[in-house]
Amino acid sequence: MFVYSDNAATMPLSREAFEAMLPFLRDNFGNASSVYGVAREAARALHGAREDVARALGAKPEEIYFTGGGTESDNWALKGAAEARRARGRHIVTTAIEHHAVLHTAEYLGRQGCEITLLPVDERGLVSPEQVRDALRPDTALVSVMLANNEIGTIEPIREIAAVTRAHGALFHTDAVQAVGHIPVDVTELGVDLLSLAGHKFGGPKGVGALYIRKGVRLPPLLHGGGHERGLRSGTENVAGAVGLAAALTRAVQTLPETMALVAARRARVIDGLSRIPFSLLTGDPVRRLPGNISFVFEAVEGESLVLGLDMVGVCASSGSACSSGSLDPSHVLLAIGLPHEVAHGSLRLTISENNTEEEIDYLIEQVTNIVARSRRMSPLWNEETQSPTERFWPQGVPASL
Ligand SMILES: Cc1ncc(COP(=O)(O)O)c(C=O)c1O
C-alpha cells in the first residue's frame, strides 16, 4: 500500500488547480502586461485569481500580492516591515517555534541592527496575548506569530495577539502557510496587517504564494524592476501559478467544513491508535490543533529510522529530527515545548488529508506500531525484557500521558 501522509510538506496538485492552469501553460501563454488578445486573457485570469484569493481570505483584491511562495512572503513581511517602521524603532517580536523562513529572516535583521525578542511557548506550543503585551516596547516595529505550527499543529490565538499588537501601534504579521485552506482564515476577523500563504500547502502549485498587505500599510518593494504587482514585486507574473493557487484555495474553502470534520475524525483515530504505543507522547495542543496534524515522540527510538522504516512499507512521513540541511539536531519546535533532546530525537509527524482513506488510516496505525517496536528491539536505549527505556530523560518529571 502507498500512503501519502506528509501533507504539511506539500500536497498533490488538486484537479481544480490542474485544470485551471492548463490553458496558461499552453495556449494562453501571453505576458499579462502586454496589450494583445492572448496577453489580455492572461491579465484577466490574473485579475480573477486575485479576486478569488481575496474572497477566500475576506480581503480586498488590491490587498493580495502574488509571490514566489511562503518563504518569500515571510521574508518580505519581516524585512519590509522593519524598513517601513524604521523611524518608530528596530525592535521585532516573534516566537521560538516559527518556521525558519521567519526565524532566519529575524536573525538576519538582528545582524542588521534590529533587536529581536523570541517569545517562549508553553508545553503545548502556545503563545499568550499577555506574553506579547509584556514584550511590546515603544520602539517595537513588528510582531510576527504563526497562525499554526508546521510540526506540532498548534493553532495560536492570533486574533487576540493581533489586537494587543495593533492597539500598541506596531505592525502584526502572521505566517499562515499551514493554516490557509485547512482552517477558516479571515484577515478582517483576525485583524492582521500582513499574512503569508503558499499555494502548494493546499493543493495549488509549488513556487507560488501570496502576501496579504492590509490597505493603508505601506511596505517597500520586494523586487525592483518593471513595476509588476503594483510596483512592489516586479517580474513577469506567474499567471498559471496564480490561477492554480486561486483554484485550489477556492475549492479548499468551499469544502472546508466537511473536510475539517472528516480529517479531524481520521486524525482522532490515528492519535488514539498511536497513543496505545507505550512510552509515546502526543506533541502539540490536543484541541487547538490543525485537523490533519498527528505528531508524536516515542522514547528510545530515532525519528529518522522511523521515517526510513515507514518509507520501506510505502508510508511517507517526516520527523522533526530530519533537517533539510542533513543535520540530525532535534527540531527547535520540540525543544521549545520543553522536550529533552534525547526524546525530541524520537519524533514522528504524520499529516493527513481528505485523500487518506479509512484503510490507509488502519495501515498507518499498524505500520507505525510495528516499526516503533522493531526499532526499539534494536536500540541500546530500550530494555526488551522490561519493555521500557533503559533511561528516562525528563528533568521536570515525565508527563502524565507517558
Ligand atoms: C509555517 C511555514 N512557513 C513557511 C513555509 C515556507 O513555504 P515555502 O516552502 O512554500 O516557501 C513553510 C513550509 O513548510 C511552513 O510550513
Side-chain angles (χ1 to χ4, degrees), residues 13 17-18 20-30 238-241:
L13 196 67
F18 177 72
M21 290 172 78
L22 262 188
F24 300 95
L25 296 169
R26 258 189 336 218
D27 308 329
N28 297 343
F29 57 84
N238 176 2
V239 178

Side-chain angles (χ1 to χ4, degrees), residues 138-397:
D139 63 339
T140 305
L142 173 77
V143 175
S144 179
V145 179
M146 68 199 320
L147 187 34
N149 183 266
N150 46 301
E151 291 186 35
I152 57 176
T154 299
I155 299 172
E156 303 294 341
I158 291 304
R159 189 152 56 102
E160 294 78 2
I161 294 175
V164 165
T165 303
R166 289 186 53 203
H168 186 78
L171 286 176
F172 183 78
H173 166 250
T174 190
D175 174 344
V177 167
Q178 290 291 339
V180 169
H182 299 279
I183 56 172
V185 175
D186 183 303
V187 290
T188 314
E189 213 175 281
L190 290 174
V192 299
D193 292 309
L194 303 161
L195 177 144
S196 305
L197 61 95
H200 69 113
K201 305 291 189 182
F202 48 79
K206 294 169 183 57
V208 59
L211 181 66
Y212 158 79
I213 307 179
R214 192 171 59 78
K215 206 171 171 175
V217 172
R218 297 177 80 83
L219 287 198
L222 172 71
L223 297 175
H224 300 272
H228 308 78
E229 296 294 305
R230 277 145 293 143
L232 293 190
R233 201 261 185 195
S234 288
T236 301
E237 298 93 342
N238 176 2
V239 178
V243 165
L245 180 152
L249 182 57
T250 302
R251 184 204 135 78
V253 168
Q254 276 165 357
T255 55
L256 199 56
E258 306 90 80
T259 309
M260 280 178 68
L262 178 100
V263 175
R266 292 189 178 158
R267 174 195 66 191
R269 224 150 66 64
V270 182
I271 290 180
D272 187 49
L274 300 189
S275 299
R276 292 167 202 269
I277 298 175
F279 303 98
S280 67
L281 179 72
L282 177 74
T283 53
D285 193 291
V287 181
R288 294 184 62 95
R289 188 178 193 94
L290 286 173
N293 179 288
I294 300 142
S295 54
F296 271 87
V297 285
F298 303 101
E299 279 191 81
V301 166
E302 280 291 334
E304 192 68 359
S305 69
L306 289 185
V307 169
L308 295 174
L310 286 168
D311 181 37
M312 308 265 278
V313 295
V315 174
C316 306
S318 80
S319 167
S321 64
C323 175
S324 49
S325 64
S327 108
L328 286 178
D329 286 343
S331 123
H332 64 286
V333 176
L334 299 178
L335 297 182
I337 61 172
L339 293 184
H341 264 253
E342 296 81 355
V343 177
H345 270 300
S347 72
L348 180 72
R349 180 189 73 177
L350 303 168
T351 42
I352 59 170
S353 78
E354 69 274 26
N355 299 326
N356 293 116
T357 62
E358 292 289 350
E359 292 71 38
E360 291 181 3
I361 297 299
D362 290 334
Y363 187 73
L364 277 180
I365 299 169
E366 181 191 317
Q367 292 303 328
V368 174
T369 307
N370 289 345
I371 291 166
V372 169
R374 194 188 336 131
S375 304
R376 281 176 172 168
R377 277 199 294 278
M378 296 184 298
S379 170
L381 301 170
W382 182 254
N383 185 332
E384 194 52 20
E385 236 159 72
T386 58
Q387 287 291 303
S388 61
T390 50
E391 200 179 339
R392 311 300 301 276
F393 295 97
W394 306 86
Q396 279 100 29

Side-chain angles (χ1 to χ4, degrees), residues 89-132:
R90 308 205 71 192
H91 178 229
I92 295 174
V93 178
T94 186
T95 81
I97 61 163
E98 299 296 312
H99 188 272
H100 284 136
V102 166
L103 278 182
H104 288 169
T105 305
E107 281 167 20
Y108 165 80
L109 288 169
R111 290 192 295 275
Q112 304 299 310
C114 289
E115 205 184 318
I116 312 296
T117 298
L118 267 194
L119 294 176
V121 294
D122 71 10
E123 69 286 357
R124 293 166 299 163
L126 283 167
V127 188
S128 71
E130 293 71 35
Q131 271 177 289
V132 173

